Amino acid sequence: MRKNRLFALLCLVCTLSMLTGCWSDPPMDSMELPGQGTQEKPEEEIALPTSFALPYASDQTLDPVTCPDGIQQTVGSLLYEGLFRLDLQLEPQPWLCRSYSYDPATFTYTFTLRSGVTFSDGSALTAADVAATLQRARTSQRYSARLAQVAAVSAGDGVVYVRLSSANTGFPALLDIPIVKSGTETSLTPVGTGPYQVSSDEEGVCLTAHTGWWAGASLPVDRIGLSSARDRETVLYQFSSHDIQLITADLTGTDPITATGNISYQDADTTILQYVGINTRREPFQDAAVRQALGLGINRPTLVSAVLSGHARAAQFPVSPVSALYPAELETLYAYDDFSAAMEAAGLTSGQTRTVTMLVNSENSFKVAAAESIAEALSDFDLQIQVQALPWEEYTAALAAGNFNLYYGEVKLTADWDLSALVGTGGSLNYGGWTDPETDQLLAAYAAAGDRAAALSALCGRLLEQAPILPVCFSTSSVLYQSGSITGLTPTMAEPFYDLGSCEIHLLEN
């Protein structure tokens, strides 16, 4: 979901998502936008910047594998590239990888590297560089979970071999991991293959064009300044005063901070799912008819618009609606009469009240509001749902112990849409204790499928029928920038400057 609204002297209540890798940081709080409860003010004449600058932490590494969550990732997206990159539909597109093959008998991928790719220091990209980065990523805090299926990585002549422990025909979607030159990873500024490189001039540390960039696309500007920022307050001040022109934020997260000035924004789709979790081991939620009826009572588009300020995409299944794999043919439109009929069929219109609780993390006001909205909508009949907002530690402890009826949850899924942790028997995120041999079989079939769309549709059909969880929406992340300073910006979940060749940066002419 992308928006681009120009407005003057707007007070943005937002959270800076101090990115360092992918836009996978825990979502943060809150913002009121034009058309969503605030009247737009008259436009003022745009004052263009004399130079374009981004924030960075000068004392922290830019290594995309090990850098701490923070502002480094926005800068890193211009320095480093992966074998693949996720496009606007969250689908993997070959990038440093020219082609690949998969042997289903041994679960082995062979990735052939693109020829002619050089690092910013002029040296050629090799398979050993790629293998070294992937090996480091396997044990890193950021990437170890997504690469847990990797059994071995090795390098050949222009090819990289990755052997998995089990089938996964969607594995390339996990390989947008940025590659750095082997041997430079201990530097604060490891060498990458991207369109820019870290330099310094009389004005200070900056990014300058990598003249040997293999993609050859024109760059919006030859120099991007880097402004040192020790914390989010510094970043916010620099952004408000237009010392820097772009930041990233989760506008429905926690820790609201106020920024002012002429600001525009665009949203990017993510793999972050918000959903209602169900304790399938407790009555009345052991009954699939009850769970399915509750799913029919959630008006997802209205909730996204009214509660989440439009910063999400409504979804009935645990795969983003922007993905080509999303089974749109299984969707049904919200209708209160359908909800009422389903509740009656499930035996929940007898007039005998039964009170249950829905847990939610108290630190996030948007999630609390979403949980309260859903609870109110589902409490028209026998079930009366009370929301209990808990601090993060208490909330997660209750989920792990199974001490809940319902909960409002959030999880960052991987782009291969592997749902086994969420709905598979014994899955690490399967707090509701859902166990179903047919679901497990469909998960395994999807992992090995040649026709992934058909396999995922079959899996989602089973989830729709059994409703072990109730998907609500997929969050978006946002790029905020000084109005008028950029046009043609096309952000994705991992790259604010995804379509760099179409991006234009506008500066005040001297």
Side-chain angles (χ1 to χ4, degrees), residues 60-384:
Q60 297 177 352
T61 180
L62 283 165
D63 174 32
V65 174
T66 60
C67 62
D69 287 343
I71 54 179
Q72 305 297 73
Q73 277 269 354
T74 296
V75 174
S77 69
L78 296 171
L79 300 174
Y80 311 110
E81 302 170 306
L83 289 176
F84 295 81
R85 64 199 307 216
L86 298 181
D87 63 16
L88 296 174
Q89 288 72 46
L90 301 170
E91 297 292 328
Q93 301 299 330
W95 200 240
L96 296 183
C97 172
R98 177 173 59 83
S99 62
Y100 68 95
S101 60
Y102 174 60
D103 180 1
T106 62
F107 312 135
T108 299
Y109 278 90
T110 301
F111 299 101
T112 301
L113 301 186
R114 191 180 297 275
S115 61
V117 177
T118 61
F119 288 104
S120 59
D121 66 356
S123 60
L125 171 71
T126 69
D129 293 311
V130 175
T133 295
L134 296 183
Q135 290 284 22
R136 287 197 303 121
R138 290 178 64 192
T139 59
S140 70
Q141 182 177 1
R142 175 169 290 115
Y143 295 116
S144 59
R146 76 157 77 172
L147 297 181
Q149 198 178 13
V150 174
V153 179
S154 59
D157 183 13
V159 296
V160 175
Y161 305 100
V162 179
R163 179 169 57 83
L164 306 181
S165 58
S166 57
N168 186 355
T169 55
F171 181 67
L174 307 182
L175 293 182
D176 60 336
I177 299 170
I179 305 300
V180 304
K181 181 177 180 178
S182 181
T184 70
E185 62 272 6
T186 58
S187 167
L188 288 180
T189 57
V191 178
T193 62
Y196 288 90
Q197 60 187 337
V198 178
S199 304
S200 61
D201 55 25
E202 64 279 0
E203 297 182 43
V205 181
C206 60
L207 301 181
T208 56
H210 173 192
T211 56
W213 186 37
W214 66 273
S218 60
L219 302 182
V221 66
D222 289 335
R223 182 189 187 278
I224 297 175
L226 295 181
S227 181
S228 180
R230 63 183 180 275
D231 51 37
R232 78 167 66 185
E233 286 72 25
T234 303
V235 172
L236 180 62
Y237 173 79
Q238 292 179 349
F239 185 58
S240 297
S241 61
H242 297 327
D243 292 331
I244 57 177
Q245 278 66 52
L246 182 146
I247 59 175
T248 56
D250 176 359
L251 301 181
T252 57
T254 56
D255 299 331
I257 299 176
T258 300
T260 60
N262 294 329
I263 298 169
S264 298
Y265 78 96
Q266 288 187 355
D267 282 356
D269 288 287
T270 76
T271 60
I272 300 172
L273 171 69
Q274 293 188 20
Y275 64 102
V276 175
I278 304 174
N279 193 335
T280 63
R281 295 165 293 196
R282 288 189 178 181
E283 289 289 351
F285 306 114
Q286 292 173 329
D287 186 351
V290 171
R291 302 191 300 265
Q292 190 179 58
L294 294 181
L296 292 173
I298 303 175
N299 190 336
R300 294 166 176 84
T302 296
L303 186 142
V304 166
S305 175
V307 179
L308 300 178
S309 301
H311 296 294
R313 282 190 187 268
Q316 293 183 29
F317 306 99
V319 56
S320 173
V322 303
S323 171
L325 299 179
Y326 186 79
E329 70 280 1
L330 300 179
E331 277 192 327
T332 57
L333 295 176
Y334 170 80
Y336 182 84
D337 288 345
D338 292 341
F339 168 52
S340 177
M343 292 293 278
E344 182 176 6
L348 294 175
T349 59
S350 67
Q352 298 179 353
T353 299
R354 180 169 186 169
T355 300
V356 298
T357 59
M358 178 187 294
L359 304 184
V360 65
N361 176 23
S362 61
E363 279 92 348
N364 188 296
S365 60
F366 279 92
K367 292 185 179 65
V368 172
E372 291 175 342
S373 176
I374 291 172
E376 181 180 3
L378 298 182
S379 296
D380 277 1
F381 303 100
D382 289 357
L383 280 184
Q384 298 298 300

Side-chain angles (χ1 to χ4, degrees), residues 418-489:
D418 177 9
L419 306 178
S420 55
L422 192 61
V423 296
T425 299
S428 59
L429 300 174
N430 186 358
Y431 302 116
W434 169 247
T435 300
D436 178 47
E438 184 172 341
T439 297
D440 292 336
Q441 292 171 5
L442 290 168
L443 285 167
Y446 168 64
D451 187 345
R452 288 170 51 78
L456 187 58
S457 180
L459 173 59
C460 287
R462 180 63 177 176
L463 297 180
L464 182 64
E465 177 185 273
Q466 294 297 313
I469 63 170
L470 307 178
V472 175
C473 63
F474 279 85
S475 302
T476 59
S477 56
S478 300
V479 178
L480 311 180
Y481 53 94
Q482 181 181 346
S483 294
S485 63
I486 311 174
T487 55
L489 190 67

Side-chain angles (χ1 to χ4, degrees), residues 383-395:
L383 280 184
Q384 298 298 300
I385 302 174
Q386 296 181 347
V387 173
Q388 184 178 6
L390 298 175
W392 179 251
E393 293 77 10
E394 295 180 29
Y395 169 76

Side-chain angles (χ1 to χ4, degrees), residues 5-8 10 33-43:
R5 301 183 182 177
L6 178 63
F7 49 98
L10 176 69
L33 296 170
Q36 298 166 342
T38 300
Q39 185 176 1
E40 286 195 55
K41 298 180 180 180
E43 293 186 0

